Structures are given as structure tokens and as C-alpha cells.
Coordinates of all heavy atoms in Angstrom, one line a residue:
M1 N 39.2 -19.2 64.4 CA 39.8 -20.5 64.3 C 39.3 -21.5 65.4 O 39.1 -21.0 66.5 CB 41.3 -20.4 64.5 CG 42.0 -19.5 63.4 SD 42.1 -20.3 61.8 CE 43.6 -21.1 61.8
T2 N 39.2 -22.7 65.1 CA 38.8 -23.7 66.0 C 40.0 -24.7 66.2 O 40.6 -25.2 65.3 CB 37.6 -24.6 65.5 OG1 36.5 -23.7 65.2 CG2 37.2 -25.6 66.5
K3 N 40.3 -24.9 67.5 CA 41.4 -25.9 67.8 C 40.8 -27.3 67.9 O 39.7 -27.5 68.5 CB 42.0 -25.5 69.2 CG 42.8 -24.3 69.2 CD 43.4 -24.0 70.6 CE 44.0 -22.6 70.6 NZ 44.3 -22.2 71.9
V4 N 41.4 -28.2 67.2 CA 40.9 -29.6 67.2 C 42.0 -30.5 67.7 O 43.2 -30.4 67.2 CB 40.5 -30.0 65.8 CG1 39.9 -31.4 65.8 CG2 39.4 -29.0 65.3
R5 N 41.7 -31.4 68.6 CA 42.6 -32.5 69.0 C 42.1 -33.8 68.4 O 41.0 -34.2 68.6 CB 42.5 -32.6 70.5 CG 43.3 -31.5 71.3 CD 43.0 -31.6 72.8 NE 43.2 -32.9 73.4 CZ 44.4 -33.4 73.9 NH1 45.4 -32.6 73.8 NH2 44.5 -34.5 74.4
F6 N 42.9 -34.4 67.5 CA 42.6 -35.7 66.9 C 43.3 -36.7 67.8 O 44.5 -36.7 67.9 CB 43.1 -35.7 65.5 CG 42.4 -34.8 64.5 CD1 43.0 -33.6 64.2 CD2 41.2 -35.1 64.0 CE1 42.4 -32.7 63.3 CE2 40.5 -34.2 63.1 CZ 41.1 -33.0 62.8
V7 N 42.5 -37.6 68.3 CA 43.1 -38.7 69.2 C 42.9 -40.0 68.5 O 41.9 -40.3 67.9 CB 42.3 -38.7 70.5 CG1 42.9 -39.8 71.4 CG2 42.3 -37.3 71.2
S8 N 44.0 -40.8 68.4 CA 44.0 -42.1 67.8 C 43.0 -43.0 68.5 O 42.7 -42.8 69.7 CB 45.4 -42.7 67.7 OG 45.9 -43.0 69.0
A9 N 42.7 -44.1 67.9 CA 41.8 -45.1 68.4 C 42.2 -45.6 69.8 O 41.4 -45.8 70.7 CB 41.6 -46.3 67.5
D10 N 43.5 -45.8 70.0 CA 44.0 -46.3 71.2 C 44.3 -45.2 72.2 O 44.8 -45.5 73.4 CB 45.2 -47.2 71.0 CG 46.4 -46.5 70.4 OD1 46.3 -45.3 70.2 OD2 47.4 -47.2 70.1
G11 N 44.1 -44.0 71.8 CA 44.4 -42.8 72.7 C 45.8 -42.5 72.9 O 46.2 -41.6 73.6
R12 N 46.7 -43.2 72.2 CA 48.2 -43.0 72.4 C 48.8 -41.8 71.6 O 49.8 -41.3 71.9 CB 48.9 -44.3 72.2 CG 48.6 -45.3 73.2 CD 49.0 -46.7 72.9 NE 50.4 -46.8 72.7 CZ 51.0 -48.0 72.5 NH1 50.3 -49.0 72.3 NH2 52.3 -48.0 72.4
R13 N 48.1 -41.5 70.5 CA 48.6 -40.4 69.6 C 47.6 -39.3 69.5 O 46.4 -39.5 69.3 CB 48.9 -40.9 68.2 CG 50.2 -41.8 68.2 CD 50.5 -42.3 66.8 NE 49.4 -43.2 66.3 CZ 48.8 -43.1 65.2 NH1 49.0 -42.1 64.4 NH2 47.8 -44.0 64.9
V14 N 48.1 -38.1 69.8 CA 47.3 -36.9 69.7 C 47.9 -35.9 68.7 O 49.1 -35.7 68.8 CB 47.1 -36.2 71.1 CG1 46.3 -34.9 71.0 CG2 46.5 -37.2 72.1
V15 N 47.1 -35.4 67.8 CA 47.6 -34.4 66.9 C 46.7 -33.2 67.1 O 45.4 -33.3 67.1 CB 47.5 -34.8 65.4 CG1 47.8 -33.7 64.5 CG2 48.5 -35.9 65.2
E16 N 47.3 -32.0 67.3 CA 46.5 -30.8 67.5 C 46.6 -30.0 66.2 O 47.7 -29.8 65.6 CB 47.0 -30.0 68.7 CG 46.8 -30.9 70.0 CD 47.1 -30.1 71.3 OE1 47.7 -29.0 71.2 OE2 46.6 -30.6 72.3
A17 N 45.5 -29.4 65.9 CA 45.4 -28.6 64.6 C 44.4 -27.5 64.8 O 43.7 -27.4 65.8 CB 44.9 -29.5 63.5
E18 N 44.5 -26.5 63.9 CA 43.6 -25.4 64.0 C 43.0 -25.2 62.6 O 43.7 -25.3 61.6 CB 44.3 -24.1 64.4 CG 44.5 -23.9 65.8 CD 44.9 -22.5 66.2 OE1 45.2 -21.7 65.3 OE2 44.9 -22.2 67.4
G19 N 41.6 -25.0 62.6 CA 41.0 -24.8 61.3 C 40.1 -23.5 61.3 O 39.5 -23.2 62.3
A20 N 40.1 -22.9 60.2 CA 39.3 -21.7 60.0 C 37.8 -22.0 59.9 O 37.4 -23.1 59.5 CB 39.7 -20.9 58.8
G21 N 37.0 -21.1 60.3 CA 35.5 -21.3 60.1 C 35.2 -21.6 58.6 O 35.8 -21.0 57.7
G22 N 34.3 -22.5 58.4 CA 33.9 -22.9 57.1 C 34.7 -24.1 56.6 O 34.3 -24.7 55.5
T23 N 35.7 -24.5 57.3 CA 36.5 -25.7 56.9 C 35.7 -27.0 57.4 O 35.3 -27.0 58.6 CB 37.9 -25.7 57.6 OG1 38.5 -24.5 57.2 CG2 38.7 -26.9 57.1
R24 N 35.7 -28.0 56.6 CA 35.1 -29.2 57.1 C 36.1 -29.9 58.0 O 37.3 -29.9 57.7 CB 34.8 -30.2 55.9 CG 33.6 -29.8 55.1 CD 33.4 -30.9 54.1 NE 32.6 -30.5 53.0 CZ 31.6 -31.2 52.5 NH1 31.3 -32.4 53.0 NH2 30.8 -30.7 51.5
L25 N 35.6 -30.6 59.0 CA 36.5 -31.3 59.9 C 37.3 -32.4 59.2 O 38.5 -32.6 59.4 CB 35.7 -32.0 61.1 CG 36.5 -32.7 62.1 CD1 37.5 -31.8 62.8 CD2 35.6 -33.4 63.1
L26 N 36.6 -33.0 58.2 CA 37.3 -34.0 57.4 C 38.5 -33.4 56.6 O 39.6 -34.0 56.6 CB 36.4 -34.6 56.3 CG 37.0 -35.6 55.4 CD1 37.5 -36.8 56.1 CD2 35.9 -36.0 54.3
E27 N 38.4 -32.2 56.1 CA 39.5 -31.6 55.4 C 40.6 -31.3 56.3 O 41.8 -31.5 56.0 CB 39.0 -30.2 54.8 CG 38.0 -30.4 53.7 CD 37.3 -29.1 53.3 OE1 37.4 -28.1 54.1 OE2 36.6 -29.1 52.3
L28 N 40.3 -30.8 57.5 CA 41.4 -30.5 58.5 C 42.1 -31.8 58.9 O 43.3 -31.8 59.0 CB 40.8 -29.9 59.7 CG 41.8 -29.4 60.7 CD1 42.6 -28.2 60.2 CD2 41.1 -28.9 62.0
A29 N 41.4 -32.9 59.1 CA 42.0 -34.2 59.4 C 42.9 -34.6 58.3 O 44.0 -35.1 58.6 CB 40.9 -35.2 59.7
Q30 N 42.5 -34.6 57.1 CA 43.3 -35.1 56.0 C 44.5 -34.2 55.8 O 45.6 -34.7 55.5 CB 42.4 -35.1 54.7 CG 41.4 -36.2 54.8 CD 40.4 -36.3 53.6 OE1 40.2 -35.3 53.0 NE2 39.9 -37.5 53.4
A31 N 44.4 -32.9 56.0 CA 45.5 -32.0 55.9 C 46.6 -32.3 57.0 O 47.7 -31.9 56.8 CB 45.0 -30.5 56.0
H32 N 46.2 -33.0 58.0 CA 47.1 -33.3 59.1 C 47.4 -34.8 59.2 O 47.7 -35.4 60.2 CB 46.6 -32.7 60.4 CG 46.8 -31.2 60.5 ND1 45.8 -30.4 59.9 CD2 47.7 -30.5 61.0 CE1 46.2 -29.2 60.1 NE2 47.4 -29.1 60.7
D33 N 47.2 -35.5 58.0 CA 47.5 -36.9 57.9 C 46.8 -37.8 58.9 O 47.4 -38.8 59.4 CB 49.0 -37.1 58.0 CG 49.7 -36.5 56.8 OD1 49.2 -36.5 55.7 OD2 50.9 -36.0 57.0
Q34 N 45.6 -37.5 59.2 CA 44.8 -38.3 60.2 C 44.1 -39.4 59.4 O 43.7 -39.2 58.2 CB 43.8 -37.5 61.0 CG 44.5 -36.5 61.8 CD 45.5 -37.1 62.8 OE1 45.1 -37.9 63.6 NE2 46.7 -36.9 62.5
P35 N 43.9 -40.6 60.0 CA 43.4 -41.7 59.3 C 41.9 -41.7 59.0 O 41.1 -42.6 59.4 CB 43.8 -42.9 60.1 CG 43.8 -42.3 61.5 CD 44.2 -40.9 61.4
L36 N 41.4 -40.7 58.4 CA 40.0 -40.6 58.0 C 39.9 -40.7 56.5 O 40.4 -39.8 55.8 CB 39.3 -39.4 58.5 CG 39.1 -39.3 60.0 CD1 38.4 -38.0 60.4 CD2 38.3 -40.4 60.5
E37 N 39.4 -41.7 56.0 CA 39.5 -41.9 54.5 C 38.6 -40.9 53.8 O 39.0 -40.3 52.8 CB 39.1 -43.4 54.2 CG 39.2 -43.7 52.7 CD 38.9 -45.1 52.4 OE1 38.9 -45.9 53.4 OE2 38.6 -45.4 51.3
G38 N 37.3 -40.8 54.2 CA 36.4 -39.9 53.5 C 36.3 -40.2 52.1 O 36.4 -39.4 51.2
A39 N 36.0 -41.5 51.8 CA 36.0 -42.0 50.4 C 35.0 -41.3 49.5 O 35.3 -41.1 48.3 CB 35.6 -43.5 50.5
C40 N 33.9 -40.8 50.0 CA 32.9 -40.2 49.1 C 33.1 -38.7 49.1 O 32.2 -38.0 48.5 CB 31.5 -40.6 49.4 SG 30.9 -39.9 50.9
E41 N 34.0 -38.2 49.8 CA 34.3 -36.7 49.9 C 33.1 -35.9 50.3 O 32.9 -34.8 49.7 CB 34.9 -36.3 48.6 CG 36.2 -37.0 48.2 CD 36.8 -36.5 46.9 OE1 36.2 -35.7 46.2 OE2 37.9 -37.1 46.6
G42 N 32.3 -36.4 51.2 CA 31.2 -35.6 51.7 C 29.9 -35.9 51.0 O 28.9 -35.2 51.3
A43 N 29.8 -36.8 50.1 CA 28.6 -37.1 49.4 C 27.6 -38.0 50.2 O 26.6 -38.4 49.7 CB 28.9 -37.7 48.0
M44 N 28.0 -38.3 51.4 CA 27.2 -39.1 52.3 C 26.9 -40.5 51.7 O 25.8 -41.0 51.7 CB 25.8 -38.4 52.6 CG 26.0 -37.1 53.4 SD 26.1 -37.3 55.1 CE 24.5 -36.9 55.5
A45 N 27.9 -41.1 51.1 CA 27.8 -42.4 50.5 C 28.8 -43.4 51.1 O 28.9 -44.5 50.5 CB 28.0 -42.3 49.0
C46 N 29.4 -43.0 52.2 CA 30.3 -44.0 52.8 C 30.1 -43.8 54.3 O 29.0 -43.4 54.7 CB 31.8 -43.8 52.4 SG 32.5 -42.3 53.0
S47 N 31.0 -44.1 55.2 CA 31.0 -43.6 56.6 C 32.4 -43.7 57.1 O 32.6 -43.9 58.2 CB 30.0 -44.5 57.4 OG 30.4 -45.8 57.3
T48 N 33.3 -43.6 56.1 CA 34.7 -43.7 56.5 C 35.3 -42.4 57.1 O 36.5 -42.3 57.2 CB 35.5 -44.1 55.2 OG1 35.4 -43.1 54.2 CG2 35.1 -45.4 54.7
C49 N 34.4 -41.5 57.4 CA 34.9 -40.2 58.0 C 34.4 -40.2 59.4 O 34.3 -39.1 60.0 CB 34.4 -39.0 57.2 SG 32.6 -38.9 57.1
H50 N 34.0 -41.3 60.0 CA 33.4 -41.4 61.3 C 34.3 -41.0 62.4 O 35.5 -41.5 62.4 CB 32.9 -42.8 61.5 CG 32.5 -43.1 62.9 ND1 32.7 -44.3 63.5 CD2 31.8 -42.4 63.8 CE1 32.3 -44.3 64.7 NE2 31.7 -43.1 64.9
V51 N 33.9 -40.1 63.3 CA 34.7 -39.7 64.4 C 33.7 -39.8 65.7 O 32.5 -39.7 65.6 CB 35.2 -38.3 64.3 CG1 36.3 -38.2 63.3 CG2 34.2 -37.3 64.1
V52 N 34.4 -40.0 66.8 CA 33.6 -39.9 68.1 C 34.0 -38.6 68.8 O 35.2 -38.4 69.1 CB 33.9 -41.2 69.0 CG1 33.2 -41.0 70.3 CG2 33.5 -42.4 68.3
V53 N 33.1 -37.8 68.9 CA 33.3 -36.5 69.5 C 33.4 -36.6 71.0 O 32.6 -37.4 71.6 CB 32.2 -35.5 69.1 CG1 32.4 -34.1 69.8 CG2 32.1 -35.3 67.6
A54 N 34.4 -35.9 71.7 CA 34.5 -36.0 73.1 C 33.1 -35.5 73.8 O 32.6 -34.5 73.3 CB 35.6 -35.1 73.6
P55 N 32.6 -36.2 74.8 CA 31.3 -35.9 75.3 C 31.2 -34.4 75.7 O 30.2 -33.8 75.5 CB 31.2 -36.8 76.6 CG 32.1 -37.9 76.2 CD 33.2 -37.4 75.4
Q56 N 32.3 -33.8 76.2 CA 32.2 -32.4 76.7 C 32.1 -31.4 75.5 O 31.7 -30.3 75.7 CB 33.4 -32.0 77.5 CG 34.7 -31.9 76.8 CD 35.5 -33.2 76.7 OE1 34.9 -34.3 76.9 NE2 36.8 -33.1 76.4
D57 N 32.3 -31.9 74.3 CA 32.3 -31.1 73.1 C 31.1 -31.3 72.2 O 30.8 -30.6 71.3 CB 33.6 -31.3 72.3 CG 34.8 -30.7 73.0 OD1 34.7 -29.9 73.8 OD2 35.9 -31.2 72.6
F58 N 30.4 -32.4 72.5 CA 29.3 -32.8 71.6 C 28.2 -31.8 71.4 O 27.8 -31.5 70.3 CB 28.7 -34.1 72.1 CG 27.8 -34.8 71.1 CD1 28.3 -35.3 69.9 CD2 26.4 -34.9 71.3 CE1 27.4 -35.9 69.0 CE2 25.6 -35.5 70.4 CZ 26.1 -36.0 69.2
A59 N 27.8 -31.1 72.5 CA 26.8 -30.1 72.4 C 27.2 -28.8 71.7 O 26.3 -28.0 71.4 CB 26.3 -29.8 73.8
K60 N 28.4 -28.7 71.4 CA 28.9 -27.5 70.7 C 28.5 -27.6 69.2 O 28.5 -26.5 68.5 CB 30.4 -27.4 70.7 CG 31.0 -27.1 72.1 CD 32.5 -27.1 72.0 CE 33.2 -26.9 73.4 NZ 34.6 -27.0 73.3
L61 N 28.2 -28.8 68.7 CA 27.9 -29.0 67.3 C 26.4 -28.9 67.0 O 25.6 -29.4 67.9 CB 28.4 -30.3 66.9 CG 29.9 -30.5 67.0 CD1 30.3 -31.9 66.7 CD2 30.7 -29.5 66.2
P62 N 26.0 -28.4 65.9 CA 24.6 -28.5 65.5 C 24.2 -30.0 65.4 O 25.1 -30.8 65.1 CB 24.5 -27.8 64.2 CG 25.8 -27.5 63.8 CD 26.8 -27.8 64.9
P63 N 22.9 -30.3 65.6 CA 22.5 -31.7 65.5 C 22.8 -32.3 64.1 O 22.8 -31.6 63.1 CB 21.0 -31.7 65.7 CG 20.7 -30.4 66.3 CD 21.8 -29.4 65.8
A64 N 23.0 -33.6 64.1 CA 23.2 -34.4 62.8 C 21.9 -34.4 62.1 O 20.8 -34.5 62.7 CB 23.7 -35.8 63.1
S65 N 22.0 -34.4 60.7 CA 20.8 -34.5 59.9 C 20.3 -36.0 60.0 O 21.1 -36.9 60.4 CB 21.1 -34.1 58.5 OG 22.0 -35.1 57.9
E66 N 19.1 -36.2 59.5 CA 18.6 -37.6 59.4 C 19.5 -38.4 58.5 O 19.7 -39.6 58.8 CB 17.2 -37.5 58.9 CG 16.3 -38.6 59.5 CD 14.8 -38.4 59.2 OE1 14.3 -37.4 59.7 OE2 14.3 -39.2 58.4
E67 N 19.9 -37.8 57.4 CA 20.7 -38.6 56.4 C 22.1 -39.0 57.1 O 22.6 -40.1 56.9 CB 21.0 -37.7 55.2 CG 21.6 -38.4 54.1 CD 21.8 -37.4 52.9 OE1 21.6 -36.2 53.0 OE2 22.2 -37.9 51.8
E68 N 22.6 -38.1 57.9 CA 23.9 -38.4 58.6 C 23.7 -39.5 59.6 O 24.5 -40.4 59.7 CB 24.5 -37.1 59.3 CG 25.8 -37.4 60.0 CD 26.4 -36.2 60.7 OE1 25.9 -35.1 60.5 OE2 27.3 -36.4 61.5
E69 N 22.6 -39.4 60.3 CA 22.2 -40.5 61.3 C 22.1 -41.8 60.6 O 22.6 -42.9 61.1 CB 20.9 -40.2 62.0 CG 21.0 -38.9 62.9 CD 21.6 -39.2 64.2 OE1 22.1 -40.3 64.5 OE2 21.7 -38.2 65.0
D70 N 21.5 -41.8 59.4 CA 21.4 -43.1 58.7 C 22.7 -43.6 58.2 O 23.0 -44.8 58.3 CB 20.5 -42.9 57.4 CG 19.0 -42.7 57.8 OD1 18.6 -42.9 58.9 OD2 18.3 -42.2 56.9
M71 N 23.6 -42.8 57.8 CA 25.0 -43.2 57.4 C 25.8 -43.7 58.5 O 26.6 -44.6 58.4 CB 25.7 -42.1 56.7 CG 25.3 -41.8 55.2 SD 25.3 -43.3 54.2 CE 26.9 -43.9 54.3
L72 N 25.5 -43.2 59.7 CA 26.3 -43.6 60.9 C 26.0 -45.1 61.3 O 26.8 -45.8 61.9 CB 26.0 -42.7 62.1 CG 26.8 -41.4 62.1 CD1 26.2 -40.4 63.1 CD2 28.3 -41.7 62.4
D73 N 24.8 -45.5 60.8 CA 24.4 -46.9 61.0 C 25.4 -47.9 60.4 O 25.5 -49.1 60.8 CB 23.0 -47.3 60.5 CG 21.9 -46.6 61.3 OD1 22.2 -46.2 62.4 OD2 20.8 -46.5 60.8
F74 N 26.2 -47.4 59.4 CA 27.1 -48.3 58.7 C 28.6 -48.1 59.2 O 29.5 -48.8 58.7 CB 27.1 -48.0 57.2 CG 25.8 -48.2 56.6 CD1 24.9 -47.2 56.3 CD2 25.3 -49.5 56.3 CE1 23.7 -47.4 55.7 CE2 24.1 -49.7 55.7 CZ 23.2 -48.7 55.4
A75 N 28.7 -47.2 60.2 CA 30.1 -46.9 60.6 C 30.6 -48.0 61.7 O 29.8 -48.6 62.4 CB 30.1 -45.5 61.3
Y76 N 31.9 -48.1 61.8 CA 32.5 -49.0 62.7 C 32.7 -48.3 64.1 O 33.1 -47.2 64.1 CB 33.9 -49.4 62.2 CG 34.7 -50.2 63.1 CD1 34.6 -51.6 63.2 CD2 35.7 -49.5 63.9 CE1 35.3 -52.3 64.1 CE2 36.5 -50.3 64.8 CZ 36.3 -51.6 64.9 OH 37.1 -52.3 65.8
G77 N 32.3 -49.0 65.1 CA 32.6 -48.5 66.5 C 31.7 -47.2 66.9 O 32.2 -46.3 67.5
V78 N 30.5 -47.2 66.5 CA 29.6 -46.1 66.7 C 29.3 -45.9 68.2 O 29.2 -46.9 68.9 CB 28.3 -46.2 66.0 CG1 27.3 -45.1 66.3 CG2 28.6 -46.2 64.5
S79 N 29.3 -44.7 68.7 CA 28.9 -44.4 70.1 C 27.9 -43.3 70.1 O 27.5 -42.8 69.1 CB 30.2 -44.0 70.9 OG 30.4 -42.6 70.8
R80 N 27.5 -42.9 71.3 CA 26.4 -41.9 71.4 C 26.9 -40.5 70.9 O 26.0 -39.6 70.7 CB 26.0 -41.8 72.9 CG 25.3 -43.0 73.3 CD 25.0 -42.9 74.8 NE 24.4 -41.6 75.2 CZ 23.6 -41.4 76.1 NH1 23.2 -42.4 76.9 NH2 23.1 -40.2 76.4
T81 N 28.2 -40.3 70.8 CA 28.6 -39.0 70.3 C 29.3 -39.1 69.0 O 30.1 -38.3 68.6 CB 29.6 -38.3 71.3 OG1 30.7 -39.2 71.5 CG2 28.9 -38.1 72.7
S82 N 28.9 -40.1 68.2 CA 29.5 -40.3 66.9 C 29.0 -39.2 65.9 O 27.8 -38.9 66.0 CB 29.2 -41.7 66.3 OG 29.9 -42.7 67.0
R83 N 29.8 -38.8 65.0 CA 29.4 -37.9 63.9 C 30.3 -38.3 62.7 O 31.2 -39.0 62.7 CB 29.7 -36.5 64.3 CG 28.9 -35.9 65.4 CD 27.4 -35.8 65.0 NE 27.1 -35.0 63.8 CZ 26.8 -33.7 63.9 NH1 26.7 -33.0 65.0 NH2 26.6 -33.0 62.7
L84 N 29.9 -37.7 61.5 CA 30.6 -37.8 60.3 C 31.4 -36.6 60.1 O 30.9 -35.5 60.1 CB 29.7 -38.1 59.1 CG 28.9 -39.4 59.1 CD1 28.0 -39.5 57.9 CD2 29.9 -40.6 59.2
A85 N 32.7 -36.7 60.0 CA 33.6 -35.5 59.9 C 33.3 -34.7 58.7 O 33.6 -33.5 58.7 CB 35.1 -35.9 59.9
C86 N 32.7 -35.3 57.6 CA 32.4 -34.5 56.4 C 31.2 -33.6 56.6 O 30.9 -32.7 55.8 CB 32.2 -35.4 55.2 SG 30.7 -36.4 55.3
Q87 N 30.5 -33.8 57.7 CA 29.3 -33.1 58.0 C 29.5 -32.0 59.1 O 28.5 -31.4 59.6 CB 28.1 -34.0 58.3 CG 27.8 -35.0 57.1 CD 27.5 -34.2 55.9 OE1 26.6 -33.4 55.8 NE2 28.2 -34.5 54.8
I88 N 30.7 -31.9 59.5 CA 31.0 -30.9 60.6 C 31.8 -29.8 60.0 O 32.9 -30.0 59.5 CB 31.8 -31.6 61.7 CG1 30.9 -32.6 62.4 CG2 32.2 -30.5 62.8 CD1 31.7 -33.4 63.5
W89 N 31.2 -28.6 60.0 CA 31.9 -27.4 59.5 C 32.4 -26.7 60.7 O 31.6 -26.4 61.6 CB 31.0 -26.5 58.7 CG 30.9 -27.0 57.3 CD1 31.6 -26.5 56.2 CD2 30.0 -28.0 56.7 NE1 31.2 -27.2 55.0 CE2 30.2 -28.1 55.3 CE3 29.0 -28.9 57.3 CZ2 29.6 -29.0 54.5 CZ3 28.4 -29.8 56.5 CH2 28.6 -29.8 55.2
L90 N 33.7 -26.4 60.7 CA 34.2 -25.6 61.8 C 33.6 -24.2 61.8 O 33.3 -23.7 60.8 CB 35.7 -25.6 61.8 CG 36.4 -26.9 61.8 CD1 37.9 -26.8 61.7 CD2 36.0 -27.8 63.0
D91 N 33.5 -23.7 63.0 CA 32.8 -22.4 63.2 C 33.7 -21.6 64.2 O 34.1 -22.2 65.2 CB 31.4 -22.7 63.8 CG 30.6 -21.4 64.0 OD1 31.2 -20.3 64.3 OD2 29.4 -21.4 63.9
D92 N 34.0 -20.4 63.8 CA 34.9 -19.6 64.7 C 34.3 -19.5 66.1 O 35.0 -19.2 67.1 CB 35.2 -18.3 64.1 CG 36.1 -18.4 62.9 OD1 36.8 -19.4 62.8 OD2 36.1 -17.5 62.1
A93 N 33.0 -19.7 66.3 CA 32.4 -19.6 67.6 C 32.7 -20.9 68.4 O 32.5 -20.9 69.7 CB 30.9 -19.4 67.5
I94 N 33.2 -21.9 67.8 CA 33.5 -23.1 68.5 C 35.0 -23.0 68.9 O 35.8 -23.0 68.1 CB 33.3 -24.4 67.7 CG1 31.9 -24.5 67.2 CG2 33.7 -25.7 68.4 CD1 31.6 -25.6 66.2
D95 N 35.2 -22.9 70.2 CA 36.6 -22.7 70.6 C 37.5 -23.9 70.4 O 38.6 -23.8 70.0 CB 36.7 -22.3 72.1 CG 36.0 -23.3 73.1 OD1 35.2 -24.1 72.6 OD2 36.3 -23.2 74.3
S96 N 37.0 -25.1 70.7 CA 37.8 -26.3 70.6 C 36.9 -27.5 70.5 O 35.8 -27.5 70.9 CB 38.7 -26.5 71.8 OG 37.9 -26.6 73.0
L97 N 37.5 -28.6 69.9 CA 36.9 -29.8 69.7 C 37.9 -30.9 69.9 O 39.0 -30.8 69.5 CB 36.3 -30.0 68.3 CG 35.0 -29.4 67.8 CD1 34.8 -29.8 66.4 CD2 33.9 -29.9 68.7
E98 N 37.5 -32.0 70.5 CA 38.3 -33.2 70.6 C 37.6 -34.4 69.9 O 36.4 -34.6 70.3 CB 38.7 -33.6 72.0 CG 39.6 -34.8 72.1 CD 40.0 -35.1 73.5 OE1 40.6 -34.2 74.2 OE2 39.7 -36.2 74.0
V99 N 38.2 -35.0 69.0 CA 37.6 -36.2 68.4 C 38.5 -37.4 68.4 O 39.7 -37.2 68.3 CB 37.2 -35.9 66.9 CG1 36.1 -34.8 66.9 CG2 38.3 -35.5 66.0
R100 N 37.9 -38.5 68.5 CA 38.7 -39.8 68.5 C 38.3 -40.5 67.2 O 37.1 -40.5 66.8 CB 38.4 -40.6 69.7 CG 39.2 -41.9 69.8 CD 38.9 -42.6 71.1 NE 37.5 -42.9 71.3 CZ 36.9 -43.9 70.8 NH1 37.5 -44.8 70.0 NH2 35.6 -44.1 71.1
M101 N 39.3 -41.1 66.6 CA 39.0 -41.9 65.4 C 38.9 -43.3 65.8 O 39.9 -43.9 66.2 CB 40.1 -41.6 64.3 CG 39.9 -40.1 63.9 SD 41.5 -39.4 63.2 CE 42.5 -39.4 64.7
P102 N 37.8 -43.9 65.7 CA 37.6 -45.3 66.3 C 38.2 -46.4 65.6 O 38.1 -47.6 66.0 CB 36.0 -45.4 66.3 CG 35.6 -44.6 65.2 CD 36.5 -43.4 65.1
G103 N 39.0 -46.1 64.6 CA 39.7 -47.2 63.9 C 38.9 -47.9 62.9 O 37.7 -47.5 62.6
G104 N 39.4 -48.9 62.3 CA 38.7 -49.6 61.2 C 38.9 -48.9 59.9 O 38.5 -49.4 58.8
S105 N 39.7 -47.8 59.9 CA 40.0 -47.1 58.7 C 41.5 -46.8 58.6 O 41.8 -45.9 57.9 CB 39.1 -45.9 58.6 OG 39.4 -45.0 59.6
T106 N 42.3 -47.5 59.3 CA 43.7 -47.2 59.2 C 44.3 -47.7 57.9 O 43.8 -48.7 57.4 CB 44.5 -47.9 60.4 OG1 44.1 -49.3 60.4 CG2 44.2 -47.3 61.7
N107 N 45.2 -47.0 57.4 CA 45.8 -47.4 56.1 C 46.9 -48.5 56.4 O 47.2 -48.9 57.5 CB 46.3 -46.2 55.3 CG 47.4 -45.5 56.0 OD1 48.1 -46.1 56.9 ND2 47.6 -44.2 55.7
M108 N 47.6 -48.8 55.3 CA 48.6 -49.9 55.4 C 49.8 -49.5 56.3 O 50.6 -50.3 56.8 CB 49.1 -50.3 54.0 CG 48.0 -51.0 53.3 SD 48.5 -51.4 51.6 CE 49.7 -52.6 51.9
Q109 N 49.9 -48.2 56.5 CA 51.0 -47.7 57.4 C 50.6 -47.5 58.8 O 51.3 -47.1 59.7 CB 51.5 -46.3 56.9 CG 52.1 -46.5 55.5 CD 52.4 -45.1 54.8 OE1 51.6 -44.2 55.0 NE2 53.4 -45.0 54.1
G110 N 49.3 -48.0 59.1 CA 48.8 -47.9 60.4 C 48.4 -46.5 60.9 O 48.3 -46.3 62.1
R111 N 48.3 -45.6 60.0 CA 47.9 -44.2 60.4 C 46.4 -44.1 60.3 O 45.7 -44.7 59.5 CB 48.6 -43.2 59.5 CG 50.1 -43.2 59.7 CD 50.7 -42.1 59.0 NE 50.5 -42.3 57.5 CZ 50.6 -41.3 56.6 NH1 51.0 -40.1 57.0 NH2 50.4 -41.5 55.4
Ligands
LIG1 S1 33.2 -38.8 53.5 FE1 31.7 -40.3 53.0 S2 30.1 -39.9 54.5 FE2 31.7 -38.6 55.0

């Protein structure tokens, strides 16, 4: 199991969750009502699953593919540790991850 801390864009709300190996980060986020739309459900045709990985955790993940890098060009609030949550598979070897959702994808309820 991987422990994941989902941090809101303003840093004021934190949700902690645990996901089994093989689970996509996007699926875990959605299962815990986090504001990641994931409109294309992992088909790499949107960028609404954009997250900013905490710098201390970024090296735990395998590198992004070229296709993922290209999709990140369309994301809101990109930083040096940005990734697409649909392209991150949790791995039991990863003890923990912290990701911030940079906003721009909140729903009408502000989540
Ligand atoms: S869900 Fe569309 S690129 Fe991740």
C-alpha cells in the first residue's frame, strides 16, 4: 500500500488515503472525492488530472513519457514536479507520496 496525501491548491485541505499497488493515482483521488476531473480517463487526451508532486517525492516515480510531457504543456499551473495522475501507478515499493492539485479544475462545489 502507498500512503498518499492530497493537498488542495491553497494548502488548507489535506486528505490522506492509501492505495494498493497497481492502482492509478487518478483512481485513488476520485475515490476520495478529490478535484481531479480526469476527463479522458487516462487516454492522454486532456490534462485535467494534473498534480504537482512534492519535491521530496518526485524521484520516487518513474520518469514521465514523452506523451505525458506533451500533455502537461496544456495543464494549468505546471511546475517542475508536475505529473498526470492517470499516468502514475501506485507501487507497493513507494512508501508515500504527497501531491498538490493546482486548481483550475474545481467543480461547482469548490472541491
Ligand atoms: S485523465 Fe486525461 S490525461 Fe489524465
